[in-house]
Amino acid sequence: MTFFRFGMMLASQASTWPEMLDAARRIDRLDYDHLSTCDHLHAIVGEPLQPIYDAFRQFFGPPELVAEKLLEHVAAEFDTTIAEMATPYDIETIERLIGEVKPLVDRG
């Protein structure tokens, strides 16, 4: 038996957080197995500097602010957030995310 999973990648160009959230909820209701988005900071189609929802900028700031933003994802019933990081890896940031931000998110 072959096990095949379907996923959906949402393009973030010309998008806002409410639009991305609405689309993610629809994908979840349709029972897709995976949801992701691109990691381009400039649009890949059309005008390079057009509006784009940049999730990376969402997670900058003091631990309390980052936790507050992550709690929006929890409220939207996302159970996983993947933190992408370019090399060379910043060990201090990795340690602070798990040591300072995660406890705040866990407490809600």
Side-chain angles (χ1 to χ4, degrees):
M1 182 173 117
T2 302
F3 183 71
F4 192 82
R5 298 171 58 110
F6 279 93
M8 179 64 67
M9 197 234 17
L10 295 175
S12 57
Q13 71 184 57
S15 296
T16 63
W17 170 243
E19 292 168 330
M20 295 285 285
L21 180 58
D22 180 58
R25 286 179 171 155
R26 289 179 187 197
I27 289 167
D28 186 53
R29 282 193 301 270
L30 291 170
D31 207 26
Y32 275 80
D33 298 305
H34 174 77
L35 170 66
S36 64
T37 187
C38 64
D39 60 358
H40 297 284
L41 299 179
H42 295 289
I44 56 175
V45 176
E47 172 58 38
L49 299 179
Q50 66 181 286
I52 188 167
Y53 173 67
D54 177 9
F56 292 116
R57 277 188 259 167
Q58 180 169 327
F59 300 116
F60 286 114
E64 296 78 14
L65 181 60
V66 174
E68 181 181 315
K69 292 175 180 178
L70 284 169
L71 284 168
E72 292 177 10
H73 290 228
V74 173
E77 299 180 2
F78 295 174
D79 62 5
T80 304
T81 295
I82 299 171
E84 292 185 354
M85 184 177 286
T87 57
Y89 300 115
D90 177 358
I91 299 303
E92 179 184 354
T93 298
I94 294 169
E95 290 172 349
R96 289 187 72 197
L97 181 63
I98 199 71
E100 296 177 37
V101 176
K102 186 178 183 304
L104 296 172
V105 174
D106 288 344
R107 282 196 298 263

